[in-house]
Every structure is written in structure tokens, then in C-alpha cells.
Amino acid sequence: MNKQIMCINWGTRYGAPYINRLYEMVRRNITPPFRFVCFTDTRDGVRSEVECYDLPPMPGFMPKNTLGKWPKSRLWAPKLAELSGPILFIDLDVVILGSLDPFFEFGSPDDVVLARNAAKPFHKLGQTSIYRMPVGALAPLQDMFAADPQGIADTYRFEQHFVTKNAPGGVSFWPKEWVTHFRVECIPSFPMNFFVEPRKPKNGRVVIFAGGLNPPDAIEGQYGKDRPHLPPAAHIRRALKSKRKLRSIRQFLLPSSWVREAWTSASTDQPEERT
């Protein structure tokens, strides 16, 4: 299987620093040769090794007031630039800790392979933070979505649920230990989260940050920029002033040193300017 990696960027939340950092984490954790492709609405500051393409057209329209990253549906198109065959999609806000080679050796090249949804382990749902598909394999889903974007979004809420339930031929899942959900599987349960740093997965290859938290938050030990890290006593005092007091108290984590090491050691420099 040729090693092709794909990511997508739109808007201002991520941009070149995240694209460049993901490229560097991939480069460090894959046996060459490989190809790294980004579909993006900006190329400013993106390092020259990244192949940038314009965003594919959005099928139908973007649903309103709906959870899920529905712009990812752009990648379900029957054609993506001149790409062909299996391609590994990776979200921009992940931390790569181990070799990506097995993601290209697992199963058949024709398979659609997703991460397991750790937040709902008994529902047999997939997570599209890192998944592999042959280009065009999900084109029927794009047609379904384009016919009724709001209806599909309201029914499935998350695009990954839609993929899990409707991918032609079904989906398979990566081995559980390969992909770890940071919020669900790394942060110790309350009250140990006040005393123990988030756990580094022993045999994990990719750590995903679905559900709000992202790597910079893990590094700082916070549940978002609007709630910066505080010592435990100060955190509890702040939480008692909130509407959802118990939930706010429980949402505490210590800064994660291993996320910091993996995240900050991946350079975001761009060696050459694009022309």
C-alpha cells in the first residue's frame, strides 16, 4: 500500500502551524517514501514538503447549529485532486507517538477503517480523527448528505456516526491500543485527576483530541482557554461560582509533560516560501 496521508484545514482555528506540526510528526513516525497532502483554504506559511490543494466543493450546504465536523464531507468526493487508492486521513489536532506504518498494513486496501469511539464503547461507533479509505469509497455518502444536509446532520449529529452506519460494505476498526482518546482514556478519573498527570498510553501510536480539548490545552492543564489552569483549591473556588458546579469541579487536569514533549518538538518551520 502506498503511504498517502491527508489532512484538511478550513477557517482560522488551525492553519499553517498545525499543518506543519502534523507533517513533522508524520515524518518522524513513518518509513519513507510517503506523500503528505492537505486540502486547505490557505497556503500561507505551509512548509514546501506539504502538497496543498484547494478545498473540494462542499456538498449541499453546511448544516446550522449542528455538532460534528461536517466540512469533512468534502473528502468523500469521488475524486480528490489526482489522488487514487487508499489514503490515511489524520486530524490536525493529534499527537503521534509511534510508527504509522501499521496503519497502511492493516486489512485490505479496499477497507474503510476507523478509530473506535472510546466515548461510547458499546455503540460500535467509529471516530474519524484518523481513518483510512480508498479515494471515492465514500462518494455514495456524499450524495446522500448533499440531498439533505440538515436532515442527515440532525439524525446522526456527528459525521463519523454517519460514516460508521452508512459506508458501503461497512467499516472496520484499528486495534484498540493504536488510537487513544485523550479526554476519555488519558485523564485519570475524579478525584485522582487532581493528583496524577494524564496517562501516556503504553503502546499507543496516535492520541486524538476529540471533544473540545486540544494538545495546547493538555499542555497547559486546562479545559479551554476560557478556563486557564489553576491550582486545585483555586480551581474549586472558581467552579463553585459556575452554573454546573460539580461538572466544573471534575473538569481538572494537570499539565501533561509527554504531550508537551511530542507537540513542541515537532517543528512548525517552513523551509521555503511557496510560489
Side-chain angles (χ1 to χ4, degrees):
M1 220 181 287
N2 292 329
K3 295 173 184 173
Q4 302 180 112
I5 295 92
M6 171 175 66
C7 63
I8 188 170
N9 172 79
W10 69 87
T12 59
R13 181 174 182 180
Y14 297 116
Y18 277 77
I19 298 169
N20 293 344
R21 183 175 279 109
L22 178 60
Y23 171 85
E24 180 62 18
M25 285 192 286
V26 167
R27 186 191 66 80
R28 292 183 178 195
N29 291 283
I30 199 168
T31 303
F34 70 95
R35 184 179 186 184
F36 190 100
V37 172
C38 183
F39 291 92
T40 178
D41 56 5
T42 180
R43 307 183 186 201
D44 294 341
V46 178
R47 56 191 299 161
S48 59
E49 298 94 331
V50 177
E51 297 180 41
C52 288
Y53 294 94
D54 293 339
L55 289 171
M58 180 73 187
F61 57 85
M62 178 62 192
K64 296 181 179 179
N65 302 318
T66 304
L67 297 172
K69 301 296 187 292
W70 290 98
K72 284 185 178 181
S73 61
R74 296 170 180 269
L75 302 179
W76 305 341
K79 293 184 179 180
L80 291 173
E82 83 285 3
L83 301 171
S84 63
I87 191 159
L88 183 69
F89 172 86
I90 307 178
D91 271 345
L92 292 173
D93 57 344
V94 306
V95 168
I96 300 176
L97 299 175
S99 174
L100 295 175
D101 292 351
F103 289 92
F104 296 95
E105 300 162 357
F106 183 85
S108 163
D110 295 328
D111 291 343
V112 176
V113 193
L114 279 64
R116 299 173 187 271
N117 190 317
K120 297 182 178 180
F122 300 112
H123 292 200
K124 296 182 179 180
L125 293 171
Q127 194 93 37
T128 56
S129 295
I130 175 167
Y131 74 97
R132 197 188 74 216
M133 67 171 181
V135 172
L138 299 181
L141 272 65
Q142 191 175 68
D143 293 338
M144 292 170 61
F145 177 71
D148 186 13
Q150 193 64 57
I152 293 292
D154 291 343
T155 299
Y156 293 93
R157 301 183 73 220
F158 297 96
E159 84 294 333
Q160 57 207 18
H161 296 177
F162 180 55
V163 172
T164 305
K165 298 296 186 180
N166 295 281
V171 302
S172 55
F173 299 101
W174 308 118
K176 186 177 184 299
E177 65 272 15
W178 287 9
V179 182
T180 305
H181 190 304
F182 180 82
R183 178 176 56 82
V184 175
E185 299 179 284
C186 294
I187 300 176
S189 299
F190 177 82
M192 293 307 297
N193 54 322
F194 279 82
F195 309 100
V196 179
E197 180 180 331
R199 176 186 66 89
K200 181 179 181 180
K202 184 177 181 180
N203 298 310
R205 299 180 183 275
V206 176
V207 179
I208 64 175
F209 288 79
L213 282 172
N214 60 32
D217 292 323
I219 291 168
E220 297 299 326
Q222 63 188 22
Y223 271 77
K225 292 181 179 179
D226 59 333
R227 286 175 288 174
H229 180 78
L230 293 173
H235 168 82
I236 293 172
R237 287 196 296 270
R238 179 178 63 188
L240 291 174
K241 297 177 182 178
S242 67
K243 292 182 178 180
R244 306 181 70 174
K245 295 178 174 57
L246 181 58
R247 181 186 181 188
S248 296
I249 289 173
R250 294 168 66 94
Q251 288 184 333
F252 178 89
L253 71 153
L254 293 171
S256 179
S257 59
W258 58 270
V259 174
R260 178 184 298 276
E261 180 181 359
W263 189 253
T264 59
S265 64
S267 172
T268 64
D269 294 340
Q270 56 277 3
E272 301 176 11
E273 289 189 5
R274 285 189 174 276
T275 57

